[in-house]
Amino acid sequence: MSNLVGRDSEDDWNDTKIAPNVKSVTFSDGIKTLKGTFYLNRSLKVTIPKSVSDIEEETFNRGISSGYIKDEEEHNWWLQHYNTNYTTYDIEEFVVDKDNPYYTAHNGILYTKDMKTLVSCPRYKAGKITVPEGVEKLGTGCFSACNRITEIQLPESINNIGAHSFYYCLNLQELNIPEGIGTLYEKTFSRCVKLESLVLPASLKALDVQKIGNSAPVGMFTEMYSLKELDMENTQIEVLGKEEDNNVKLFTNLPVENFKLPKHIRKIGNNALRYINTPTALHLYSSIESMGENIIDPFQILTADAEHGGISRTICSQTNSPLKDIYCYWTAPIEVNDRLFTYVKVKNGKYTIEMFPQDWANICTIHVPKGTTAIYKTHAFWGKFKNIVEFDATTSIPNTENMIALKPITYNAVYNLQGIKVAAYKGQLKSLKSGIYIVGGKKITVK
């Protein structure tokens, strides 16, 4: 046998499964290709022979495990929190024949022989994982469902992160994304439910999320219930979402308190920011050329629901919307759809109709560049807002420093004793040299 195929498609249920009580699996020498999906239920050790020359990236990277030891406890946990029950992996280590010229194992993790691609991390790995310097690529789904891992430290050599890389890392609390990454793909961070802060690198140019066929809506930053800070400010991203596709949802159920959008944003697609927490201020820079429908819902408040492991969504009235200020930086405002912000449902006799949220527009203040009030007041869309005031659009944004901010941008930033910012968030403390630092007004010692 030269090829061994597991589950080869979403419709192929003739899976190659290993009996639940088998703790060690050794693929026979002579096999050259491993493809599809192998559900290695309860197998602790997987040995790759010297003959294998091709392993599909997701061959060992499917299946979900909650990180609990007892089967019954794990089963109940999934049913309670996510109403689902997944096949699990308990692999502790990969072992590769030393004479295999294509693959190797380091600390039980599967890599290509040249140590440039991390193919698969065993699902039973726990605590902190440090990927060695020199590794350039994370294979598709390589850390997905590694639910015992709490921290992943990536080297500066990484320049490619595959789709689903950190999908369902339920206990991941710290993660760095190094400079050099140009594109991120679908479900990279989905279900990282304990990750609180994420800073994206200046090298990042695109968020590439594709909807395949009639599949369910896809996203990237979805179901991240603990995420308080998402910083994209210094990236090179110019487009968020797609104006023609409502099923591409980059952000879903994010209770963020500090959301930094890219400085160079040009296009904001349909529903692009609709499923994040409603901000208190929105800044629309002059670099923006077009915006789709429903880019933000001004009337929702998202909070983490610790008891049920999800998000609590509260719909507020128009007059209680958190969004009170919108800063427009265009000297000549661009044309926008009347549904730029989510319509509200209003009773009209026997029927419920959707209409522009005029009650909110009467209390929300639109800030416009000096000398442009008359233009905005006669604009088909912005003219619907009652309060239009001027500000100096050439100066830095007051207090918020960003397009979207629910609180001043101070969350978890790290400063030295001289008051110089040395890290964007608290999770980076471990990478700093020994000394005393200030985080949130408190001194923290790094040894």
Side-chain angles (χ1 to χ4, degrees), residues 137-346:
K137 179 181 179 181
L138 300 184
T140 301
C142 64
F143 284 106
S144 65
C146 287
N147 295 311
R148 298 164 178 88
I149 293 177
T150 57
E151 179 180 355
I152 297 175
Q153 186 68 40
L154 299 179
E156 294 181 0
S157 55
I158 290 286
N159 57 42
N160 188 326
I161 295 178
H164 303 206
S165 286
F166 310 106
Y167 183 53
Y168 265 104
C169 286
L170 294 181
N171 285 302
L172 183 63
Q173 298 174 39
E174 296 184 24
L175 172 68
N176 68 301
I177 306 298
E179 291 293 338
I181 303 298
T183 304
L184 289 172
Y185 302 92
E186 66 266 12
K187 295 185 178 180
T188 302
F189 309 104
S190 294
R191 296 282 187 176
C192 289
V193 297
K194 290 189 178 180
L195 196 62
E196 294 187 358
S197 179
L198 189 60
V199 179
L200 301 184
S203 57
L204 188 64
K205 295 181 179 179
L207 301 176
D208 189 358
V209 175
Q210 302 294 331
K211 181 175 181 289
I212 302 174
N214 294 320
S215 63
V218 295
M220 182 176 299
F221 307 92
T222 61
E223 318 301 333
M224 301 175 72
Y225 302 142
S226 300
L227 194 68
K228 294 182 175 67
E229 177 185 43
L230 178 57
D231 186 350
M232 308 168 68
E233 184 177 20
N234 293 318
T235 68
Q236 303 302 309
I237 295 172
E238 296 184 350
V239 179
L240 283 179
K242 297 182 178 180
E243 290 179 299
E244 72 280 2
D245 193 345
N246 291 329
N247 285 314
V248 173
K249 298 176 181 177
L250 289 173
F251 315 100
T252 304
N253 289 338
L254 295 187
V256 289
E257 297 174 356
N258 173 9
F259 193 113
K260 290 187 174 185
L261 286 178
K263 292 178 180 177
H264 309 289
I265 190 74
R266 293 191 304 109
K267 296 182 179 181
I268 301 177
N270 291 344
N271 302 304
L273 307 171
R274 184 179 181 181
Y275 303 100
I276 67 169
N277 223 350
T278 302
T280 56
L282 171 65
H283 292 263
L284 302 174
Y285 285 143
S286 58
S287 61
I288 299 175
E289 300 170 357
S290 67
M291 294 184 289
E293 298 180 2
N294 300 315
I295 66 165
I296 278 184
D297 184 346
F299 313 113
Q300 67 175 353
I301 299 173
L302 302 178
T303 55
D305 186 346
E307 180 179 355
H308 299 94
I311 287 291
S312 174
R313 182 171 182 260
T314 302
I315 304 301
C316 64
S317 66
Q318 294 186 55
T319 54
N320 287 324
S321 169
L323 183 53
K324 295 293 196 297
D325 295 278
I326 299 176
Y327 293 80
C328 298
Y329 288 74
W330 306 284
T331 53
I334 63 173
E335 294 303 316
V336 295
N337 190 289
D338 198 58
R339 288 179 176 264
L340 181 66
F341 302 110
T342 302
Y343 267 27
V344 292
K345 294 182 179 180
V346 178

Side-chain angles (χ1 to χ4, degrees), residues 70-89:
K70 297 180 181 179
D71 291 355
E72 188 65 26
E73 185 176 5
E74 177 172 342
H75 175 79
N76 292 338
W77 189 91
W78 277 102
L79 289 180
Q80 175 187 350
H81 292 290
Y82 299 108
N83 193 30
T84 189
N85 183 29
Y86 286 92
T87 301
T88 63
Y89 288 167

Side-chain angles (χ1 to χ4, degrees), residues 423-438:
Y425 61 102
K426 186 178 179 180
Q428 295 176 323
L429 273 170
K430 293 182 179 180
S431 64
L432 300 177
K433 64 181 182 180
S434 299
I436 299 175
Y437 297 92
I438 306 297

Side-chain angles (χ1 to χ4, degrees), residues 294-445:
N294 300 315
I295 66 165
I296 278 184
D297 184 346
F299 313 113
Q300 67 175 353
I301 299 173
L302 302 178
T303 55
D305 186 346
E307 180 179 355
H308 299 94
I311 287 291
S312 174
R313 182 171 182 260
T314 302
I315 304 301
C316 64
S317 66
Q318 294 186 55
T319 54
N320 287 324
S321 169
L323 183 53
K324 295 293 196 297
D325 295 278
I326 299 176
Y327 293 80
C328 298
Y329 288 74
W330 306 284
T331 53
I334 63 173
E335 294 303 316
V336 295
N337 190 289
D338 198 58
R339 288 179 176 264
L340 181 66
F341 302 110
T342 302
Y343 267 27
V344 292
K345 294 182 179 180
V346 178
K347 285 282 188 180
N348 184 13
K350 296 181 179 179
Y351 304 100
T352 299
I353 61 174
E354 292 187 344
M355 31 185 325
F356 180 82
Q358 190 60 57
D359 288 346
W360 166 65
N362 290 339
I363 62 171
C364 182
T365 300
I366 305 300
H367 302 259
V368 302
K370 289 182 178 180
T372 64
T373 299
I375 300 174
Y376 277 86
K377 282 188 174 181
T378 57
H379 190 271
F381 180 80
W382 299 113
K384 295 181 178 182
F385 290 80
K386 182 178 180 180
N387 304 312
I388 298 179
V389 300
E390 295 186 355
F391 78 112
D392 187 353
T394 63
T395 63
S396 59
I397 301 171
N399 300 323
T400 59
E401 300 179 88
N402 198 357
M403 295 172 68
I404 294 183
L406 290 102
K407 293 182 178 179
I409 308 301
T410 57
Y411 176 79
N412 271 351
V414 181
Y415 297 84
N416 62 20
L417 294 179
Q418 288 72 46
I420 299 173
K421 184 177 178 179
V422 294
Y425 61 102
K426 186 178 179 180
Q428 295 176 323
L429 273 170
K430 293 182 179 180
S431 64
L432 300 177
K433 64 181 182 180
S434 299
I436 299 175
Y437 297 92
I438 306 297
V439 181
K442 298 180 180 179
K443 292 184 178 180
I444 294 179
T445 301

Side-chain angles (χ1 to χ4, degrees), residues 120-131:
S120 184
C121 178
R123 298 297 173 264
Y124 210 82
K125 285 287 185 180
K128 179 180 179 179
I129 298 295
T130 300
V131 178

